[in-house]
Amino acid sequence: MEKRKDTMIRKLLIPLVRVVAIILAIPLVLLVLASFLIPEAKVRDRLEQELERATGGQVEMGKPTLRFWPGTGLRLADVKVWGTGQDLARATGGSVELQDYLVDLDMLAIQMAVKPLLRGRLEVVSIQLAGPLLQVQRDGEDLAVRNFTLTISDLSLNLGELEGSVPAGESAHPVGRPAGDAPPGESIPEDLRLQFALAAGGLETGGMVLSDLSCRGDLDARLITLEMVEAHLGEGILTGQGEVDYERDPWGELDGELKAEGVPSGALLAPFAPDLAQRLQCALDGQASGTCNLKDAESVRNSLSLTGELNGGPGLLAAGDWLQEVLPYLGDRGDLVNVRFGALGHQFRVEEGRYVLDSLTIDGDETEWQGEGWIGLDGQMDARLKVKLPPGFTPDLGKWRFLAETLRDDQGRVNLAFRLSGPTDRPRVGLDLAGLR
C-alpha cells in the first residue's frame, strides 16, 4: 500500500477530534467559571471570541440558553466553526496536517452537576452534539461524518489536577497546554473519565462510504475502549471492537478486531487495493485482528501486526490485463484469465511491513488457483500463482512445449505456475520454472 493510504484515515481523524474537543471544552470552562456572572446576552459573544481564539477559525452560533435548575446547563443552537489547518496549528501549538475543516452543529447541549463543582470536581451529566456535518480535508481526501449525534456522559475530572497541568506564568488552554509535537497521551488528564456513543447516517473517507454507523465506548485512565462499532458497507455489515492505549504508549497503541459479513469486495478493497477492487466482484465474509503503534506512518508500517481471513463467492476475477504477459500460453481461452468462480478463500498476515499471503484459493468453473507470497506496504511484491487448467487443455508453452504433458496430472489437467514480482501496479509476470518442477 502507498504511504498516504496507510495513514490517511488517522491524519484526517485526529485534527477533527481536536476541533471537536475545543468546541466541547470552551463552553464547559465558561460554564464553570462565568455562567453565574455573565449576562446571557453576552455569553454568545464570549463563546464566539473564545472559540475563534482557540481554533484560529471563524465561528457562528445562535442564541445560547443557560439553565440552573434542576442542574446547570447550557444549550447552543446553530453552531458552525470552520477554518484552515494552518490557523488551527497556530492556535493550538501543535502540528496539524490538513487543508481545512468544518464543524456544523444544529445543537450543542451541556448539563452538569452543581454539588461536585463546589468540591472542586467537574462532573458532567451529559454533552450532546447533533448536526449535519463534520468534515476535514487533506491532500484532496475528505473525511466526512454526516447526520450525526454524539453523546458524552458520566464525564468526571478533578479540577485541581487540570489546573496543575498548566505551569505558573503560562496561559491556560481549553483543551490542555499546547504541546507542539509531544505525544497526544500527555494532554489527556489521568483523572479524566467519560462514556461516549456516536450514531451517524454516513461516514465517507478514502473512497469508502459507510452508512448507519454506530459505536459506543469509554475513556478511563488514558485508555479508550471501543466496546462496539457497527456500520453498513453496501449490502454488507462491518462490526468491530478495540482499544487505544495512551497510558502504555503516549503516542497511542491500537489493538482491535473487525468482522465483515456480505460486504461487496469493491467497496471493501477500494481504499486499500484499488486495482484489485476494480477486478474482483463478489461478496466477502471475513475477520481480522491485530495491533500497531499510531505515532506516524513509519511506525504504523513497522509495528503493524495483523492476521485474518476472507471468504467469498460466487464471483468474477477479471485478471486479463494483470496476466497480459502470459496470455500467449493460454491461447484464445479468455475465460482462463477472466475467471468465474464458485468460492474464494484467503488467509493472510501483515508483519514487518509486508502483507503475507499464507493461502489463497479460487475455485473456478474450470480452473483452480492457488497463491502465496507477499505484497510490501512500500509498493513491491513477490508472489506465486499456481493454476490447474481445464481437463484436456494444452497451453502453448513455446520453447517449453515439451514440458506440457509432464505437467498434466491424473485428471488430465496441466498445472502451471507463475511468478509476479516488482511494483504492485505493474508487476513482472512470467512462468515460475521452480514451481513447474
Side-chain angles (χ1 to χ4, degrees):
M1 302 177 187
E2 298 177 356
K3 178 178 179 180
R4 180 172 59 86
K5 292 295 183 182
D6 290 338
T7 60
M8 177 184 60
I9 294 176
R10 177 177 177 270
K11 288 191 175 182
L12 287 170
L13 186 58
I14 288 178
L16 180 59
V17 172
R18 180 177 297 179
V19 174
V20 173
I22 292 173
I23 292 172
L24 289 176
I26 287 180
L28 277 172
V29 172
L30 290 180
L31 191 59
V32 171
L33 301 178
S35 62
F36 294 99
L37 303 176
I38 300 177
E40 187 174 286
K42 295 183 179 180
V43 171
R44 179 179 62 184
D45 293 341
R46 179 68 180 277
L47 286 172
E48 288 183 349
Q49 292 172 5
E50 291 296 322
L51 284 172
E52 288 174 354
R53 180 188 67 80
T55 64
Q58 301 183 60
V59 179
E60 291 181 359
M61 66 176 62
K63 182 179 179 180
T65 302
L66 291 173
R67 182 179 60 186
F68 305 113
W69 186 262
T72 302
L74 173 66
R75 182 183 179 93
L76 301 170
D78 301 324
V79 180
K80 183 178 291 187
V81 183
W82 70 97
T84 67
Q86 291 181 344
D87 292 337
L88 183 60
R90 283 194 294 266
T92 61
S95 175
V96 180
E97 298 187 21
L98 61 86
Q99 290 171 295
D100 51 53
Y101 65 89
L102 168 65
V103 181
D104 190 359
L105 304 176
D106 293 329
M107 178 270 293
L108 166 60
I110 302 173
Q111 183 179 357
M112 59 188 301
V114 177
K115 289 184 179 180
L117 182 59
L118 300 177
R119 298 192 298 267
R121 185 168 186 81
L122 178 63
E123 292 189 7
V124 176
V125 178
S126 68
I127 302 174
Q128 189 173 58
L129 299 88
L133 181 63
L134 298 177
Q135 184 175 29
V136 296
Q137 185 180 67
R138 176 182 178 274
D139 294 337
E141 298 284 355
D142 286 350
L143 184 149
V145 184
R146 303 183 186 279
N147 301 319
F148 65 92
T149 299
L150 172 64
T151 302
I152 298 175
S153 59
D154 299 330
L155 185 153
S156 64
L157 177 64
N158 188 320
L159 294 178
E161 181 173 325
L162 182 63
E163 293 171 358
S165 65
V166 183
E170 295 190 15
S171 59
H173 189 277
V175 290
R177 174 184 169 192
D181 293 326
E186 294 182 359
S187 65
I188 302 175
E190 290 183 301
D191 193 46
L192 179 61
R193 308 283 187 272
L194 61 86
Q195 296 184 356
F196 60 87
L198 172 67
L203 185 150
E204 303 170 15
T205 180
M208 181 179 291
V209 181
L210 302 174
S211 61
D212 299 325
L213 171 69
S214 62
C215 73
R216 66 173 183 270
D218 62 67
L219 167 63
D220 189 351
R222 293 177 175 169
L223 176 66
I224 299 175
T225 301
L226 292 170
E227 300 173 0
M228 181 278 296
V229 179
E230 181 175 303
H232 286 77
L233 181 58
E235 301 299 321
I237 297 178
L238 296 174
T239 58
Q241 59 186 17
E243 294 180 345
V244 181
D245 194 334
Y246 288 103
E247 179 66 27
R248 182 169 54 199
D249 185 337
W251 289 105
E253 184 175 292
L254 173 64
D255 188 351
E257 61 182 45
L258 183 68
K259 295 182 180 180
E261 182 177 351
V263 174
S265 57
L268 180 63
L269 298 175
F272 314 107
D275 288 340
L276 179 59
Q278 295 176 8
R279 293 167 174 79
L280 180 62
Q281 301 174 23
C282 70
L284 294 173
D285 299 328
Q287 60 183 6
S289 61
T291 183
C292 69
N293 178 275
L294 299 176
K295 180 179 179 180
D296 51 33
E298 184 177 359
S299 298
V300 171
R301 287 198 309 272
N302 293 338
S303 65
L304 182 60
S305 176
L306 190 69
T307 59
E309 63 176 318
L310 288 172
N311 299 285
L316 171 68
L317 177 61
D321 53 346
W322 273 357
L323 300 178
Q324 193 73 30
E325 296 181 33
V326 299
L327 286 179
Y329 304 137
L330 305 179
D332 59 358
R333 293 292 300 268
D335 59 318
L336 299 183
V337 289
N338 294 302
V339 183
R340 294 194 177 277
F341 59 87
L344 176 151
H346 177 35
Q347 295 181 346
F348 61 88
R349 293 175 288 128
V350 177
E351 58 185 18
E352 298 180 351
R354 291 180 174 182
Y355 182 97
V356 182
L357 286 74
D358 285 332
S359 173
L360 170 65
T361 60
I362 300 176
D363 293 330
D365 293 342
E366 292 190 283
T367 57
E368 295 180 18
W369 295 78
Q370 293 183 336
E372 60 182 13
W374 56 266
I375 301 174
L377 301 184
D378 59 357
Q380 297 294 311
M381 70 179 302
D382 188 359
R384 289 165 175 78
L385 290 176
K386 296 180 180 180
V387 57
K388 286 187 177 183
L389 298 175
F393 176 75
T394 301
D396 183 2
L397 299 180
K399 66 179 180 179
W400 303 104
R401 185 186 301 272
F402 68 92
L403 287 176
E405 293 306 314
T406 67
L407 300 175
R408 203 178 299 276
D409 60 20
D410 294 340
Q411 299 174 328
R413 307 177 67 172
V414 172
N415 291 253
L416 287 184
F418 303 108
R419 182 179 180 183
L420 294 81
S421 60
T424 55
D425 55 350
R426 299 188 64 181
R428 298 183 296 274
V429 184
L431 284 176
D432 178 13
L433 297 181
L436 290 178
R437 286 196 297 270

